[in-house]
Amino acid sequence: MTVKIGFVGTGGIANHHMRNLAEIPEAEMVAFCDIAEEKALSAATTYGGKAYTNYADMYAEEALDAVYICVPPFAHQQQELAAIERDIAIFVEKPVATTMALAKKIEAALLAKNLVSAVGYHWRYMDTTERAIKQLGAQPVGLALGSWMGGMPEVAWWRVLGQSGGQIVEQTTHIFDLARHLLGEIESVHATARTGLMHDVENYDVHDASITNLRFKSGIIASITSACMLSAGNQVGLDLYQRDQVVRLAHRTLTIDSAEASEVFELGNNPTRAEDRTFLLAVQSGDASAIRCDYSEAVKTLEVTLAATQSAIEERIITL
């Protein structure tokens, strides 16, 4: 039995999922919704199915098993709640909201219905992440250093704090989530940030750069750096320091440094396809145990990133 899938939002990240779903036998894309009708029509023409400009109409007219909600952070309103009300499983692209109030409301609705959910933190599905977990073993991690340093995404909403939540919430969230996945829960956050370097960009009020210090409940400490003002020298990843080795996870590689040698392993799988297929199999079976980031997990990451942004603005330590 195939899983009948609808999309709310048919932009860049949605199309990334569509390309992967087109190669997964369990997937049947049947409906596409976007406020820009031409985008919905393009997706429907490419993959088959019907185009909509109103998600409520799509939910009412289609017999969906699952829906992918791929909208900008500020655009999360009733899309998830309306799907849950109709017992439709949801896959939500990160970040799941810009406020904890909305995220908690959606989480409660999901839990009440015991519906399958997943969120697009694809770093959890990289085979290099799996290898890193095995490599870390039982030896304690002393500290971790993470980063998402690069240029500014070109979409207009990204540079508006009230719409994107800022770089920590919208982009570096992948590194915060990876740190949680590998190191456990965080007990306190302290961030500092600066602006003033992007004065030539209109309608811009996010931080140019920030440094967030984390203390985990286990005692591990970490520092995660964000920057969106770079034109060169991009750096994205998480380095974990143990007494006898450093485990370095990047977009395409895993590097293991020790006193004896340095080994590099290339990413060997398509993590987005892996998370998509895991979600679909869970929808088919009702068993969500293989999903590595469900909605509740993503809410915990959102709490950390919102706290980090608040800490930078208010210049104080925040205890979670």
Side-chain angles (χ1 to χ4, degrees):
M1 181 190 77
T2 59
V3 178
K4 295 186 183 300
I5 302 166
F7 272 82
V8 177
T10 58
I13 191 62
N15 275 272
H16 184 49
H17 285 291
M18 291 174 201
R19 287 189 293 271
N20 283 290
L21 290 168
E23 299 183 12
I24 297 175
E26 294 83 5
E28 182 183 357
M29 292 177 279
V30 299
F32 307 87
C33 177
D34 201 292
I35 57 172
E37 185 176 14
E38 66 277 9
K39 290 184 178 181
L41 286 168
S42 176
T45 300
T46 302
Y47 298 104
K50 188 174 178 181
Y52 292 85
T53 56
N54 186 301
Y55 67 84
D57 292 341
M58 183 179 77
Y59 292 167
E61 295 179 23
E62 302 286 345
L64 299 176
D65 301 309
V67 62
Y68 276 67
I69 299 173
C70 304
V71 298
F74 69 91
H76 291 278
Q77 296 170 357
Q78 297 294 313
Q79 300 96 325
E80 291 91 343
L81 293 169
I84 294 165
E85 186 176 345
R86 291 180 174 272
D87 296 321
I88 302 171
I90 63 172
F91 185 108
V92 184
E93 260 304 329
K94 57 80 211 161
V96 294
T98 56
T99 68
M100 286 301 295
L102 177 57
K104 285 290 189 181
K105 185 176 182 180
I106 293 167
E107 180 187 20
L110 277 168
L111 293 173
K113 289 261 190 159
N114 195 29
L115 284 175
V116 171
S117 67
V119 176
Y121 282 107
H122 65 276
W123 285 66
R124 293 189 181 217
Y125 292 84
M126 299 193 309
D127 61 359
T128 46
T129 299
E130 295 174 16
R131 183 185 285 266
I133 292 170
K134 293 177 182 178
Q135 185 69 29
L136 290 168
Q139 185 184 125
V141 173
L143 77 154
L145 298 176
S147 61
W148 195 297
M149 300 175 65
M152 183 188 69
E154 292 300 317
V155 288
W157 55 260
W158 195 92
R159 67 197 69 165
V160 180
L161 185 65
Q163 295 184 13
S164 68
Q167 187 179 17
I168 290 172
V169 171
E170 202 286 324
Q171 195 173 53
T172 318
T173 183
H174 281 296
I175 306 304
F176 284 89
D177 184 74
L178 182 63
R180 282 192 56 251
H181 182 53
L182 297 176
L183 303 175
E185 297 307 332
I186 295 161
E187 68 177 21
S188 65
V189 176
H190 178 243
T192 186
R194 67 154 299 166
T195 57
L197 300 174
M198 305 287 277
H199 53 81
D200 56 331
V201 179
E202 292 184 3
N203 201 28
Y204 174 102
D205 68 351
V206 297
H207 294 123
D208 303 337
S210 66
I211 298 172
T212 303
N213 293 321
L214 307 170
R215 179 172 289 279
F216 290 77
K217 291 181 179 180
S218 63
I220 297 169
I221 56 174
S223 183
I224 298 177
T225 306
S226 304
C228 65
M229 81 293 183
L230 302 181
S231 58
N234 294 5
Q235 183 174 326
V236 178
L238 182 68
D239 298 346
L240 303 112
Y241 292 79
Q242 297 175 300
R243 286 194 63 180
D244 61 1
Q245 67 179 356
V246 182
V247 176
R248 306 180 189 274
L249 268 167
H251 254 141
R252 306 292 305 177
T253 59
L254 167 67
T255 304
I256 300 168
D257 291 332
S258 67
E260 292 76 29
S262 180
E263 294 182 278
V264 178
F265 301 92
E266 298 290 335
L267 180 69
N269 73 329
N270 179 332
T272 304
R273 188 177 305 159
E275 70 177 355
D276 286 337
R277 189 160 190 269
T278 301
F279 171 63
L280 296 187
L281 292 175
V283 173
Q284 281 185 324
S285 67
D287 179 5
S289 60
I291 291 176
R292 298 181 187 177
C293 189
D294 63 8
Y295 196 91
S296 292
E297 268 292 290
V299 170
K300 293 176 183 177
T301 296
L302 178 67
E303 181 182 20
V304 174
T305 57
L306 287 174
T309 304
Q310 182 183 0
S311 173
I313 293 169
E314 299 179 2
E315 300 181 340
R316 66 182 179 92
I317 296 173
I318 294 179
T319 301
L320 301 178

